[in-house]
Amino acid sequence: MKKIIGKIVIKILGWKIDPNTPKELFEKCVVIAAPHTSNWDYPIAVYSMAALGVNLRYTIKKDWMKFPYGGFFKLMGGIGVDRSIPNNRHQRMNLVSAIANLFKKHDQLAVIVQAEGTRALQKKWKTGFYYIALEANVPIALGYLDYQKKVSGIGKMIYPTGDIHRDMSEIMDFYKNITPKFSDKFALDERYSGSK
């Protein structure tokens, strides 16, 4: 049902979906979606993934997954993150490790993580998505919304090697040709793109 609704909504909005979808998207991966410059970005990304048959999830504090809100957040793709202190530890688990642990508990999981962190102009992206994928040993799906072509999809999969400069440079190289809704609110990460 979600797939049908996704296809209908995307068509009504006048968008097309890139049909070249990597198989890993239906297995386990961290999904980043860029550019992120508009409130429309998230719904378009979610409906695009639904149209492809992908159950895209986002992380939320575990406490929010309880009654009375839990049902709503679960329906919207929320998945609870538990950072509580395990019996054999003295401090809370960091967020990267907590999200990476989710992949151990699921046979299939596609989690969207904001790379830019905000719709405002950011010249340095948040790299949590990279370290989540590295620790979970899953690929990073390069989700995109190209407003000039009105095409959304997954451009490619990046398998993190641990060499963040090399891997992030490859990610920046992909996004340099994607047109955002508001170009003045989008920048590649200057640490890896070669642009200052």
Side-chain angles (χ1 to χ4, degrees), residues 11-89:
K11 189 170 185 179
I12 289 171
L13 294 174
W15 282 71
K16 294 181 182 176
I17 299 172
D18 185 338
N20 301 312
T21 307
K23 65 177 178 57
E24 295 91 339
L25 191 61
F26 303 96
E27 296 167 1
K28 294 182 181 183
C29 64
V30 172
V31 181
I32 58 173
H36 182 39
T37 64
S38 162
N39 285 330
W40 281 100
D41 298 339
Y42 185 73
I44 292 170
V46 169
Y47 284 117
S48 296
M49 293 299 101
L52 289 170
V54 177
N55 184 22
L56 191 64
R57 309 294 294 275
Y58 66 91
T59 58
I60 188 169
K61 191 175 179 181
K62 183 182 176 184
D63 295 343
W64 284 97
M65 296 302 289
K66 297 176 183 174
F67 183 82
Y69 309 107
F72 171 76
F73 288 124
K74 187 173 182 180
L75 181 67
M76 300 304 293
I79 184 168
V81 176
D82 184 5
R83 293 182 61 198
S84 60
I85 302 171
N87 293 335
N88 59 347
R89 294 180 57 158

Side-chain angles (χ1 to χ4, degrees), residues 146-160:
D146 192 316
Y147 277 84
Q148 183 177 23
K149 299 174 183 174
K150 293 201 89 172
V151 174
S152 66
I154 302 296
K156 64 191 298 188
M157 289 284 183
I158 301 289
Y159 289 82

Side-chain angles (χ1 to χ4, degrees), residues 11 91 96 142 178 193:
K11 189 170 185 179
Q91 61 184 17
V96 166
L142 304 189
I178 305 297
S193 65

Side-chain angles (χ1 to χ4, degrees), residues 99-163:
I99 297 173
N101 278 344
L102 292 173
F103 288 94
K104 296 176 185 174
K105 301 173 183 175
H106 294 84
D107 293 330
Q108 295 178 315
L109 186 61
V111 175
I112 190 166
V113 179
Q114 285 188 348
E116 296 162 85
T118 176
R119 292 185 309 276
L121 180 66
Q122 293 295 317
K123 294 186 177 180
K124 293 182 180 178
W125 290 20
K126 295 186 179 296
T127 54
F129 72 88
Y130 181 84
Y131 291 106
I132 291 166
L134 186 64
E135 186 171 333
N137 195 29
V138 298
I140 301 165
L142 304 189
Y144 71 94
L145 300 171
D146 192 316
Y147 277 84
Q148 183 177 23
K149 299 174 183 174
K150 293 201 89 172
V151 174
S152 66
I154 302 296
K156 64 191 298 188
M157 289 284 183
I158 301 289
Y159 289 82
T161 64
D163 182 344

